[in-house]
Structures are given as C-alpha cells and as structure tokens.
Amino acid sequence: MIITNDLLIGKILKRYKRFLVDIELPNGKTVIAHSTNTGSMTSCWEPGDPALIKFIDDPKRKLKYTLLACKRGPTWVGVDTSSPHKLVLELLKSGKCFGLNGIKELRSEVKYGSESSRIDIWGKHQKKEIFIEIKNTTLKRGPWVSFPDAVTERGTKHLRELQKMIKKGHRAALVFLIQRNDVTYFDVARDIDPTYAQELAKAIKNGLEIYPICVELKVSKTKGRIILKWNPKKILPFKMMTPKD
DNA sequence: GTGACTGTACATAAAGTGAA
DNA sequence: TTCACTTTATGTACAGTCAC
C-alpha cells in the first residue's frame, strides 16, 4: 500500500481533545491535524518528533490535515487507525497475508453476533466462513510490542463474539497490525488490561487464530514529493506475557 | 475535601437506512 | 439509483454527582 499525494512532514507539538494534534509545518506555521487514533499512543511520539500528515481538501471536513505517522528515533510508527484495515484487505486480496490466504468473497464491516458488533473483514475459506478482527498495535516496551495500550472493553467484547463464531463452526482470526519495525516480539499487555488478556487466552484455547503482522513504514522523497509505503515484513513471535515477566 | 463513578464531547470514515 | 441523513466505532479528558 502506497500514498504518494499531498503528504507533508512537520513536527508534532501536542495532542488535545482526543482527536486533535498541533503540527508545526516546515514553513513555521502551526496547523491542527485530525488524529484517527484515539488510543494513548504511548511510545509513538514525543513533542518535537517528526510527523507525517496528509492534506485532504474536503469541504465537509473541519480539519484539512490527518496525522498518519510519527518518527520515533529512526523508526516511523503508523498511528492512523484506518490504514491497518485497508492494508490487511489489500494483503488478503493479493494472497500475501501470512497464513490467511485463499479467502474469497471478502467484505468489510459486516454485522455479526448477538451484540450488534461489526467484524472488520468477513470472507469464505473453502466451505467455512472466516471472521477477521484487526487491531492497530503500536505500544513498544523494549523489544516487545503490546496490545492493548489502554483498557479496551470493546476489544474484550469482540473476543467474546469471535468465540461464539468459532462455536458455530466458523473460523475466527485476530490480526494485530504492528505499524512499526523496531520490535521483536508481540505480547498482550496483561498489566494494562487483565480482563482482555484473560479473555484472549481463553479465546486462543477455543481456537482463535492470532496473526501479529509487523509492517515497516518507509517514507521517502522523490522529485520533491513525499511517498509513504507500508511494507509487510513478518509474523512476530507471540508470547502471553508482559515484559515484566 | 477526596476518591470513585458516570455522562458527555470530541472528528472522521464507512455502512446502513429512508426518501425522492 | 442517488442523495442525505443516521448509526456505529474509536478511547481519553473533563465536568458533574455522589458517598464517605
């Protein structure tokens, strides 16, 4: 997946009101950008870090810029929560989604379950339905990348719904799309949300498939134009423990 | 006064729904 | 079929309320 138009690199100054971030442009002007990431974004950026934003000239929008990624040290970290969905869908369609291949009739945001949930991606593999939930994952602690970075009741609810689908004879998979390439292992942040960790362990026992996919974000300049490319690298080893363990 | 809890606001995208 | 409006999803910050 590549974005080639209307990208700018500025400096991230502060975040406030949940969705808003102040970005200082190279010309010294400060603009307000929209952040689709409502998580804590711990370890993703510090004030003054480079930030990649996209200019979107849509009259229906209040804010003309959307925050896509921040640079922590040498590593770009993707913080746009809409990108993982698009990227995983693209990988599934192209048959390059690490163990999740051969899925047909792919559909996005399909209603399912008894709690009016919506699955990120639904499809058919051979004769079975498959339900795929995607989680944007960025919390870095040493060589580990962890999920969640805050208590997530909805995440736990999704796990319950996926287990119900497995009981009905379907397949269910959880893709942790890790938008940074400076980590070695994936784990569940039991210290942050013990309920989620417990439910995930139960779900795995019940047959939930886990795919922690590590993606490298490459930002380059060609003829003055900035290009952002998501480059899927590998599946990370999965450990049901925290770095403290 | 303090801590725990609850409700609301915030911006956007995408899907769903209903009217023309 | 198209368009406009509504609903859903996301999780933190903050204000207000209540009990102790």
Side-chain angles (χ1 to χ4, degrees), chain A residues 153-168:
Chain A
E153 283 179 28
R154 283 180 197 277
T156 306
K157 176 186 148 190
H158 288 149
L159 291 174
R160 287 197 299 266
E161 291 287 14
L162 290 173
Q163 288 174 86
K164 285 179 193 169
M165 294 303 111
I166 294 169
K167 275 188 183 171
K168 286 183 180 177

Side-chain angles (χ1 to χ4, degrees), chain A residues 124-179:
Chain A
K124 275 194 174 176
H125 182 254
Q126 294 169 356
K127 288 185 178 177
K128 279 190 174 181
E129 293 182 36
I130 179 164
F131 296 78
I132 303 169
E133 185 68 27
I134 301 161
K135 299 291 179 194
N136 185 47
T137 308
T138 52
L139 175 61
K140 181 181 187 293
R141 301 190 287 188
W144 279 271
V145 63
S146 309
F147 184 90
D149 62 357
V151 175
T152 170
E153 283 179 28
R154 283 180 197 277
T156 306
K157 176 186 148 190
H158 288 149
L159 291 174
R160 287 197 299 266
E161 291 287 14
L162 290 173
Q163 288 174 86
K164 285 179 193 169
M165 294 303 111
I166 294 169
K167 275 188 183 171
K168 286 183 180 177
H170 307 308
R171 278 179 73 188
L174 196 50
V175 174
F176 294 98
L177 208 286
I178 301 154
Q179 291 200 74

